[in-house]
Amino acid sequence: MKVSELLEKLQYNVFSKADTDKEITAGYASDLLSDVMGNSSEGNIWVTMQTHKNVVAVAALKELSAVIFTNSNIPSDESIEAANEENVLLLGTSKGTFEVCGEIYNLLESK
Amino acid sequence: MHLEYKVQGGNFSKAGHASGEIKKVLKQLNVNPMVIKRIVVALYEAEVNIVAHAYEGDIIVDIDDSKVHVVLNDSGPGIPSIERAMEKGYSTASPLVREMGFGAGMGLPNIKKNTDELNIKSVVGVGTTVDFINYL
Ligand SMILES: Nc1ncnc2c1ncn2[C@@H]1O[C@H](COP(=O)(O)OP(=O)(O)OP(=O)(O)O)[C@@H](O)[C@H]1O
Ligand SMILES: [Mg+2]
């Protein structure tokens, strides 16, 4: 499923300007950066509560399809700026991590 | 091809910058994407370790037909026991650094897993050298 299709089905906030044509290969949920660095794969959508700029660096280096901030966490201006530069899509929702993982999982499985 | 970058200790807002630049060069050189992926993980972790644990350092990359050779050299507190530092979960990161999601103690294990040859040398009170090779 492409990110654009996910955004049609689940109304997440969009914080950065980036390509939504990327294919979501799977999801990865973690607030530990080296866990994501070591265990996520290209095209994964990353579910996290961490919002600082290093998240953008990790997402760009790993070529993740998007990052979604749960529990109403919003990225810093610095993060948004970096995301715009690096073509990293930053999303957000008031829902918690458990719920977000569940709904994205179901959507990907239903495909 | 020979590349050199400087890394500032404590400057988290630039952490990963050098790794991103090196990744770009590897892509331009058409290095096998699977090899690039592994190098990027190892590079980023080693770069962030300089930012999180040392004062300053540099990254030297040499690329030839058969391998990518990376050396990260820092001046910093050094590592008293490399064996312990290599254990998954071992971390001396400060509470502030942990709050940012660093300090899982997974960086060095990630480097080990994503390199073909790894050599770490450290002198307490002087600094650390992380030297790794990935074959093409
Ligand atoms: N360049 C370095 N200089 C000094 N100490 C270091 C250096 N690199 C690693 N260490 C020591 O080794 C420990 C383990 O490093 P490792 O990268 O595995 O975990 P971490 O950096 O603490 O956490 P994470 O990488 O998961 O965010 C560090 O907590 C630190 O004590
Ligand atoms: Mg580390």
Side-chain angles (χ1 to χ4, degrees):
Chain A
M1 178 180 293
K2 291 207 188 302
V3 178
S4 54
E5 208 178 326
L6 175 107
L7 288 175
E8 276 167 30
K9 301 219 158 82
L10 302 168
Q11 272 72 51
Y12 296 139
N13 299 320
V14 178
F15 295 114
S16 65
K17 284 193 246 355
D19 178 16
T20 59
D21 204 45
K22 291 177 193 159
E23 193 68 28
I24 304 173
T25 49
Y28 200 78
S30 179
D31 298 325
L32 296 169
L33 274 69
S34 27
D35 178 27
V36 177
M37 205 63 212
N39 297 319
S40 71
S41 310
E42 182 176 347
N44 285 181
I45 181 163
W46 177 11
V47 186
T48 184
M49 283 175 52
Q50 296 289 352
T51 56
H52 54 83
K53 202 181 158 189
N54 295 272
V55 168
V56 177
V58 170
L61 286 169
K62 294 291 290 191
E63 299 181 30
L64 304 181
S65 51
V67 184
I68 174 154
F69 305 120
T70 55
N71 271 330
S72 301
N73 282 293
I74 54 170
S76 61
D77 291 345
E78 217 192 8
S79 296
I80 295 171
E81 205 177 300
N84 288 339
E85 257 166 51
E86 303 264 3
N87 191 26
V88 173
L89 187 66
L90 302 181
L91 306 173
T93 174
S94 57
K95 291 170 187 167
T97 298
F98 182 75
E99 205 178 325
V100 169
C101 290
E103 65 189 13
I104 296 177
Y105 181 87
N106 283 333
L107 203 57
L108 294 179
E109 285 295 298
S110 72
K111 261 280 175 170
Chain B
M1 179 171 250
H2 178 87
L3 308 166
E4 286 184 28
Y5 298 88
K6 291 243 171 285
V7 182
Q8 275 175 285
N11 187 354
F12 278 94
S13 93
K14 283 202 78 183
H17 183 79
S19 300
E21 293 295 308
I22 295 163
K23 181 186 171 190
K24 267 183 219 154
V25 175
L26 294 174
K27 279 196 155 181
Q28 276 161 12
L29 292 173
N30 278 320
V31 171
N32 177 345
M34 296 306 291
V35 177
I36 297 183
K37 283 193 170 77
R38 297 182 76 215
I39 293 173
V40 163
V41 173
L43 247 178
Y44 176 80
E45 293 291 2
E47 181 183 354
V48 171
N49 276 352
I50 297 177
V51 176
H53 308 296
Y55 314 136
E56 61 177 342
D58 44 56
I59 306 178
I60 298 157
V61 185
D62 283 287
I63 305 158
D64 64 31
D65 290 341
S66 68
K67 64 184 181 297
V68 178
H69 183 191
V70 182
V71 180
L72 299 100
N73 229 313
D74 72 55
S75 49
I79 304 174
S81 165
I82 292 169
E83 203 184 320
R84 279 204 73 190
M86 290 302 297
E87 284 171 21
K88 205 170 166 187
Y90 177 83
S91 176
T92 60
S94 69
L96 204 82
V97 170
R98 282 175 199 263
E99 234 170 72
M100 292 172 78
F102 295 108
M106 291 177 71
L108 289 173
N110 276 349
I111 296 172
K112 179 81 192 161
K113 198 173 149 194
N114 286 283
T115 53
D116 295 328
E117 278 175 37
L118 172 65
N119 205 326
I120 302 176
K121 289 200 183 76
S122 192
V123 181
V124 172
V126 179
T128 301
T129 301
V130 174
D131 182 317
F132 66 82
I133 294 174
N134 281 46
Y135 293 102
L136 298 173

